[in-house]
Amino acid sequence: MEGKTERSVSPFNSELKLKGFNVFRIEEDSSATKIYSRKDFYKICLTTGKSIIHYADRSYEQEGTILFFGNPHVPYSWETISTTYIGYTCLFSEEFLQLSERTDSLLQSPLFKLGGTPVLKITEEQRLFLNGIFEKMMQEQQTDYSFKDDLIRNYIQLILHEAMKMQPSEQDEKHANAASRLTSVFLELLERQFPIETADSPLKLTTAQHYADQLSVHVNYLNRAVKSVTGKSTSTHITERIVNEAKALLQHTNWNVSEVGYALGFEYPTYFNNFFKKQTGLTPKTVRV
C-alpha cells in the first residue's frame, strides 16, 4: 500500500483534521449552519436568531439564543429562518478532545447522545459569559503559544460543564415514529462509513445484519422499518452506496482494482469484480478515467 494517496475530502474537513479544531463567528461565515460534506467533528454553536434544527428523529424550532451540540454519529440539519443570525461555531475532532477518560465521559453526556438533549435555551447572562469563552478561543487560535491546544480544550470543557448544569429546551420538540427514527439512524450510520480514505482498512459494515447488530435490533425489524419509510430494502441502500463509492474510488484514486475491492470489504478481487458487474453491467476497469 506504500505510495498510495488518500482519498481527498473537502478543504474544510482537511483543515480540521490537521488542527483538530476550528472556531469562528457565524456572521463571518455564510455557510456556518449548513451541512458540510462530511461530519467527522463535534460541533458547538452559540446562536441568536430563529431557526429549526432537525436532529435524528426530532425537530426543534427555536427563537432567541441557544446552545447546540452536534455529534458526528447523529444525523442533523439546520434551517435558518430569521434574516439576522449571529453567534459562534466551534468544531473539534474526537481525537482533539479525547485525551482522558474524563473527556470521554463528557462526549457521552446527554448533550451529544442519540435521544439526549442537543439544544439548550440560553439567558442573556449565560450568553454574555459564553460569548467571552468563544472570543477567547478565537483569540487563542491565532497565537503561537506552545500549549494553546491544551488551553482551548479547557475552554471546550468549560462550555460542556456549564451546559450540563442547564435545563434542556422544551420548545417545539417533535418526535417522529419509531420506524422513521430507526431509518434515520441507519442511513446516517451507512453514510458515516464513507468516503473511504485509505486502502489499508476494509469497510466493516457491509450487510443488513451488520447494521442490525450495530443498532441492537433484529434484522427483520430493521428491514421493515427502512422499507416502509424509504421504499427500498436495507440491502439495497447498502449495495447502492457501495457501488457509488466503488465508482468514486476507481475514478479518483490510483488504487488498483484489488485494493479498491479490499477497501470495500471484498476478500477476493473476483468477488468484487462479480459484484460490480452484476450491479452496473460493467467491469471495474472500464470505469477508470
Side-chain angles (χ1 to χ4, degrees), residues 157-176:
Q157 291 180 35
L158 179 57
I159 293 174
L160 294 176
H161 281 295
E162 288 296 320
M164 288 171 65
K165 294 189 291 184
M166 299 176 188
Q167 291 297 315
S169 172
E170 297 179 354
Q171 275 193 326
D172 301 310
E173 179 183 338
K174 301 175 182 178
H175 291 262

Side-chain angles (χ1 to χ4, degrees), residues 44-188:
I44 303 176
C45 291
L46 177 68
T47 62
T48 301
K50 187 175 182 180
S51 62
I52 300 176
I53 301 169
H54 304 286
Y55 186 86
D57 64 317
R58 292 170 290 171
S59 294
Y60 298 84
E61 184 170 350
Q62 297 291 330
E63 187 168 8
T65 302
I66 62 167
L67 194 59
F68 168 77
F69 299 87
N71 182 334
H73 310 315
V74 179
Y76 66 86
S77 60
W78 196 309
E79 297 179 34
T80 300
I81 307 299
S82 56
T83 55
T84 301
Y85 209 84
I86 60 173
Y88 302 87
T89 293
C90 166
L91 304 166
F92 57 91
S93 66
E94 188 168 353
E95 292 76 18
F96 178 80
L97 190 66
Q98 197 173 40
L99 297 179
S100 68
E101 293 182 1
R102 182 171 298 179
T103 53
D104 180 58
S105 65
L106 289 175
L107 294 181
Q108 296 302 317
S109 73
L111 299 173
F112 290 109
K113 291 184 69 175
L114 180 65
T117 306
V119 180
L120 298 173
K121 192 73 175 178
I122 301 300
T123 66
E124 179 62 14
E125 181 181 1
Q126 291 167 335
R127 184 187 71 81
L128 293 174
F129 175 74
L130 292 169
N131 274 3
I133 297 178
F134 277 95
E135 284 290 337
K136 288 179 182 297
M137 286 195 291
M138 289 181 62
Q139 294 167 11
E140 200 61 47
Q141 183 174 244
Q142 305 302 321
T143 71
D144 295 325
Y145 179 49
S146 299
F147 301 101
K148 70 177 180 180
D149 285 359
D150 291 331
L151 184 53
I152 287 172
R153 289 186 192 99
N154 288 336
Y155 286 138
I156 294 174
Q157 291 180 35
L158 179 57
I159 293 174
L160 294 176
H161 281 295
E162 288 296 320
M164 288 171 65
K165 294 189 291 184
M166 299 176 188
Q167 291 297 315
S169 172
E170 297 179 354
Q171 275 193 326
D172 301 310
E173 179 183 338
K174 301 175 182 178
H175 291 262
N177 61 42
S180 294
R181 172 175 179 157
L182 181 59
T183 300
S184 177
V185 177
F186 158 70
L187 292 174
E188 193 281 332

